[in-house]
Amino acid sequence: MKKILVPVDFSKHSEYALEAASKIAKQHKAKIVLLHMIGISDSVLANSEIAEEAEAKYFLKLAKDKINEFTKKKYLEGIPVDSIIQNYKDFEEVNQVALEQNCDMIVMGSHGTSGLKELFVGSNTEKVVRSSELPVIVIKAGSSGFDVKRMVMACDLEKEAIPVYRKAEAFAQLNNASLEMVYVHSAGANFMGRDDVVERMENFKKELGKEIDIHFYDDNSVERGILRYCFERNADLLVIPTHGRKGLDHFVVGSLAENVSNHAKIPVMTIKI
């Protein structure tokens, strides 16, 4: 790991993410790239070129000053830090910036959402999780305790999740952390009998080419079951695959990875299948 992208809006949540990223960076001797989106409105951009240039310079200087103040953290000492400032368009563009900067991971904070706001608006974190081709770690609370010793990966045991497991396993090894798998058994359209689940577990291990422990957990909801299992196991980091659904498919079907990352209290790492 060489570069970690951290989107920041100077809130306490993005500071939590920055501190968590600093710990990862120190472990891997990596560089941190800060991304701040200014968010100049269309009304400003519609002004004359002279007014637009003056306004842009003002916001740019303001952002630079904030970044300089924001990065005066003791935990950043010894870590190379670059910063990128661009006008806000859509948080799905974070993926493009990460790829252009040859980053290996995105770490960002999240306020979380609930109710009608979540249904109709969603969150910026969800947009990044949905669109990112890189692993994304979502931080919800103060990262002073971001010390990954026990990781849990939750998935449906389909073969397509095997590359995700390998990436999670590599991250666990780099952090000297344990990694365990869980399958949440829940009634619904995709309900399977226990024997069928056991068969799928064996097929997953066979395809993986190694023996691993896969835990079976019953709950009325897959999302709730994942969160409860992590709580009971005192997990430090949850890993969950994502398909990165977009458009109408995303609106109708939803994404388990986005929902879990939005509601979990512990850090969540999403990895695109």
Side-chain angles (χ1 to χ4, degrees):
M1 187 178 299
K2 297 181 179 178
K3 283 186 181 181
I4 302 168
L5 184 72
V6 184
V8 298
D9 60 2
F10 310 119
S11 67
K12 63 179 182 180
H13 291 85
S14 60
E15 184 171 348
Y16 295 155
L18 181 58
E19 186 174 354
S22 73
K23 294 188 176 183
I24 299 172
K26 286 179 179 177
Q27 289 173 339
H28 305 288
K29 298 181 179 179
K31 174 186 287 188
I32 289 177
V33 179
L34 294 183
L35 171 63
H36 176 64
M37 293 179 166
I38 300 177
I40 302 176
S41 67
D42 291 337
S43 60
V44 171
L45 296 177
N47 292 335
S48 67
E49 290 185 5
I50 296 176
E52 178 184 328
E53 183 178 358
E55 197 83 21
K57 285 182 177 179
Y58 170 77
F59 282 114
L60 182 62
K61 182 181 184 305
L62 189 64
K64 286 182 176 179
D65 290 342
K66 284 188 175 182
I67 284 178
N68 288 335
E69 184 64 29
F70 196 71
T71 54
K72 290 179 181 178
K73 313 293 183 184
K74 189 173 182 179
Y75 55 74
L76 289 176
E77 290 179 1
I79 301 174
V81 179
D82 288 341
S83 60
I84 297 173
I85 302 171
Q86 71 174 37
N87 189 40
Y88 172 88
K89 290 183 180 178
D90 195 312
F91 261 77
E92 291 183 349
E93 295 177 359
V94 171
N95 175 62
Q96 186 60 36
V97 175
L99 294 177
E100 290 173 355
Q101 293 295 315
N102 296 314
C103 293
D104 303 287
M105 175 182 290
I106 298 171
V107 178
M108 66 183 300
S110 173
H111 300 258
T113 55
S114 60
L116 291 178
K117 180 181 179 183
E118 175 179 315
L119 179 61
F120 292 107
V121 180
S123 71
N124 291 328
T125 304
E126 283 184 344
K127 293 175 184 177
V128 175
V129 167
R130 188 187 315 153
S131 60
S132 178
E133 296 176 42
L134 303 175
V136 179
I137 293 183
V138 180
I139 306 294
K140 280 295 188 64
S143 61
S144 57
F146 188 80
D147 184 17
V148 180
K149 295 301 180 185
R150 172 171 285 176
M151 293 170 54
V152 169
M153 176 175 165
C155 75
D156 57 8
L157 301 177
E158 292 286 357
K159 293 180 180 179
E160 61 185 5
I162 288 176
V164 175
Y165 179 86
R166 296 193 193 282
K167 291 180 181 179
E169 184 179 44
F171 188 79
Q173 290 173 349
L174 287 170
N175 288 274
N176 295 316
S178 64
L179 174 65
E180 56 190 85
M181 288 270 292
V182 62
Y183 175 87
V184 176
H185 191 240
S186 176
N190 298 319
F191 177 81
M192 293 191 301
R194 192 178 184 105
D195 290 343
D196 293 329
V197 175
V198 171
E199 182 180 355
R200 182 176 287 194
M201 288 178 176
E202 294 305 316
N203 289 336
F204 186 91
K205 289 187 281 188
K206 182 179 179 181
E207 201 68 28
L208 183 63
K210 63 188 297 184
E211 184 66 29
I212 61 172
D213 289 329
I214 303 178
H215 301 267
F216 187 98
Y217 192 86
D218 274 306
D219 202 283
N220 293 328
S221 160
V222 174
E223 178 184 328
R224 186 173 59 188
I226 292 172
L227 299 178
R228 282 183 173 179
Y229 181 85
C230 288
F231 176 77
E232 291 173 9
R233 299 294 292 171
N234 196 28
D236 302 306
L237 178 67
L238 168 64
V239 180
I240 189 164
T242 175
H243 287 86
R245 292 188 177 98
K246 294 183 179 181
L248 185 61
D249 179 56
H250 170 263
F251 182 79
V252 175
V253 181
S255 168
L256 179 65
E258 294 167 32
N259 291 339
V260 172
S261 64
N262 213 24
H263 296 132
K265 297 186 183 302
I266 64 171
V268 178
M269 174 188 283
T270 62
I271 303 176
K272 192 171 184 180
I273 291 177

